[in-house]
Amino acid sequence: MSDRHVVVGAGPVGTHVARLLADRGSEVVLVSRRGTTAPGVTSATLDASDADALSALTDGAVALYNCANPSDYTQWHQVWPPLARSLRLAAERTGAVLAVTGTLYPYGPVADGVMREGMPDAATDHKGVLRAEMWRELADAHRAGSLRAVEVRGSDYMGTGVGTNGHVTRLLPAALDGKAVWAIDAADVPHSFTDVLDEARGLIAAVDTPESWGQVWHAPTNPAVTLRQAITDTLAAVGRPPVPVRVVPRLITRAAGLALPMLRELNQLSYQRTAPYVLESTRSQQMLGIEPTPWAEVCRRTAQV
């Protein structure tokens, strides 16, 4: 029986998935535009939006992992549709289980701020609607029997390799130097942070659990903390004292968003920062048989920027 896995995207999730699979002895192909390498993994330089090339590469694989993350946050509507279509076609043509690295965007604002498995996708912002539609197409195809798919959603990442894409890791270089840091919109609202390694573990566990296919699951995630607490805990994990965490007022971010596309995108999703944003993963942990990495260890590895 095949134990070949194709991982699309060499960012922090894809790299962790590839390494975990290689460590257990699986044959792994890591796909990226730059041909990124990893120990024990075969690299492939490929534009994954090329459905024919991706299908040929995936032929014979047990699973295809969508760990891609468009580098330009403002260009999702240009990048995601052809890439999602290619991945869907590759899964349909080859029979590989398609495991998707999901986000919480499809849920949109939630009344009590707690996102649970089985909740409807109710986003109205363009990014949330796009990601919800991507999953809906896969879920419909799964029910129709044309492919097998599963999605694992995580909250904002912490852990190794996240870099400037994370709310905490974006501020860490200055914090580790003992400088005050500036948070966008809020710093004292409960917020879930998912270890990027736990997202990878969740994807692999979902592929290994046929009962989970056709559904959305949540990466195992520790109890929510505030951004201020996450930064303080991460500094403490490497023996550093806390630093002042100041907040950029909404008035300023709104005004700046008129001129800066990136801030304009962030402003549309301000509810993710100004209200509780809590990921509940208990049911997923039971289904997939995994627990979140202990918080102290998440913080320690996050500090290794």
Side-chain angles (χ1 to χ4, degrees), residues 159 168-181 230-245 299-305:
V168 173
T169 51
R170 183 184 305 120
L171 304 177
L172 265 186
L176 287 167
D177 284 341
K179 301 174 182 176
V181 296
I231 293 170
T232 298
D233 289 349
T234 301
L235 292 172
V238 289
R240 303 293 182 89
V243 298
V245 180
C299 292
R300 187 192 67 77
R301 287 192 287 100
T302 301
Q304 309 303 314
V305 293

Side-chain angles (χ1 to χ4, degrees), residues 280-303:
E280 167 60 48
S281 61
T282 302
R283 180 168 167 256
S284 296
Q285 290 169 212
Q286 294 171 346
M287 167 59 73
L288 303 178
I290 50 178
E291 298 288 328
T293 299
W295 178 245
E297 174 62 13
V298 175
C299 292
R300 187 192 67 77
R301 287 192 287 100
T302 301

